[in-house]
Amino acid sequence: MRLLLLLWGCLVLPGYEALEGPKEISGFEGDTVSLRCTYREELRDHRKYWCRKGGILFSRCSGTIYAGKEGQETTEGRVSIHDSRQELSLIVTLWNLTLQDAGKYWCGVEKRGPDESLLISLFVFPGSSRPPKQLDSTSAEDASPALSSSSSKPRVSIPMVRILAPVLVLLSLLSAAGLITFSSHLLLWRKEARQAMETQRNEKVYLSHLNHRTSELDPEEAFEISSPTFLSD
C-alpha cells in the first residue's frame, strides 16, 4: 500500500516546488511586462522553455520558445527569455502587450520523465482603461526621461487586493470585538450608576419620612426614636 501511495505521488505531484514564480501578471495594452521563474540547483543544466497553454482535456504547449545557452537571450516576436544559471532563474519578457496575449502560460524545465512546470496567468487590460497621469507643467520635462526609462524596464504586477484582504478582515474582527467589549462595559457602568441613584433616592425618602414622623411626636419620644437603643444584660 505504501509503495502504491509513493508511486501515485511521483506521478501526480512531480517536482513539487521545483519552480517558483508569480501566479499572475498583468498589464495594459502596449506595456512591457517581465517575470522571473526560479528553479532548484539540480535543474541548472536542464533546458528551459516558455509556452502558451493549450488544449481543453489535456494540457499542451503552443508557441514554445527555448532558452539559449548561459548568457544568451532568445527572442521570438515580442517575447524573449534568458536563462540565468548563476541566479537559478528563467527571465521572460513580453513587449507591446495586446488583448490577444491574455491567457495562461507555462514556465517549464525539461527533464527525464514529466517536465517541471509553473502555470502563470497573464491579464491584459485595454489601453483606454489606463488611469491618466497627472504631471505639473514645470516637472513634465524633468520627469519625461524617468518615465521613458521606467517604461522600458520590466514590471511585474501583483494584485494588492489578495494581499490586503486578510489584513482588512483581521482589522474588522478586532474592531468588532473592541466595540462589543466597550458596549458591555458601558452597560455595566450604567447599571451600577442606576442602582446607586436608586439607593440614594431610597435613603432620602426614608430620612424625609423619619423627619416628618419625629416632628409630629413629643421631644422625648422623638429622642427615643432617633437615638440608638442599648440592651442591658
Side-chain angles (χ1 to χ4, degrees):
M1 183 65 181
R2 183 176 301 176
L3 181 60
L4 291 177
L5 292 176
L6 180 60
L7 180 60
W8 179 85
C10 293
L11 293 176
V12 179
L13 300 174
Y16 180 69
E17 292 185 352
L19 283 175
E20 295 182 354
K23 304 297 182 183
E24 297 178 355
I25 58 175
S26 61
F28 292 92
E29 285 183 290
D31 283 352
T32 297
V33 295
S34 180
L35 60 99
R36 181 186 298 266
C37 299
T38 58
Y39 49 84
R40 295 189 306 219
E41 174 67 27
E42 58 267 24
L43 301 175
R44 177 193 297 269
D45 297 328
H46 289 253
R47 196 180 187 187
K48 288 82 176 180
Y49 61 88
W50 170 263
C51 67
R52 184 163 188 166
K53 180 184 177 183
I56 300 177
L57 297 179
F58 299 98
S59 298
R60 59 181 178 83
C61 274
S62 62
T64 305
I65 305 175
Y66 292 95
K69 297 181 180 180
E70 172 66 21
Q72 295 182 355
E73 184 177 22
T74 303
T75 302
E76 291 188 12
R78 294 178 290 106
V79 182
S80 68
I81 60 174
H82 172 222
D83 182 16
S84 177
R85 298 184 180 181
Q86 294 182 352
E87 300 178 357
L88 299 178
S89 60
L90 178 66
I91 303 171
V92 182
T93 304
L94 298 91
W95 291 290
N96 195 18
L97 291 178
T98 64
L99 295 178
Q100 290 73 24
D101 293 332
K104 295 184 178 182
Y105 294 82
W106 290 108
C107 185
V109 180
E110 289 184 345
K111 70 179 186 67
R112 182 174 301 176
D115 292 350
E116 308 289 1
S117 57
L118 175 66
L119 185 62
I120 302 174
S121 298
L122 172 62
F123 299 95
V124 181
F125 305 104
S128 58
S129 62
R130 184 195 302 270
K133 297 180 181 180
Q134 297 180 355
L135 295 175
D136 297 335
S137 58
T138 55
S139 60
E141 296 180 357
D142 298 335
S144 56
L147 290 176
S148 60
S149 60
S150 62
S151 61
S152 61
K153 294 181 180 179
R155 298 186 298 110
V156 178
S157 176
I158 302 176
M160 297 299 295
V161 177
R162 295 188 177 184
I163 300 176
L164 296 178
V167 179
L168 296 177
V169 172
L170 180 60
L171 292 177
S172 301
L173 293 177
L174 293 176
S175 301
L179 183 60
I180 293 174
T181 304
F182 175 75
S183 301
S184 61
H185 283 292
L186 181 61
L187 292 176
L188 181 61
W189 176 80
R190 293 183 62 182
K191 184 177 180 181
E192 293 178 353
R194 190 182 298 109
Q195 291 178 354
M197 293 178 62
E198 291 179 356
T199 302
Q200 293 179 358
R201 189 182 300 109
N202 293 334
E203 291 178 355
K204 291 181 180 179
V205 171
Y206 174 76
L207 292 176
S208 62
H209 179 70
L210 181 62
N211 293 333
H212 178 70
R213 183 179 178 185
T214 53
S215 63
E216 294 177 353
L217 298 177
D218 296 335
E220 294 181 357
E221 294 177 350
F223 178 76
E224 291 178 357
I225 292 175
S226 60
S227 301
T229 304
F230 299 92
L231 298 176
S232 59
D233 296 336

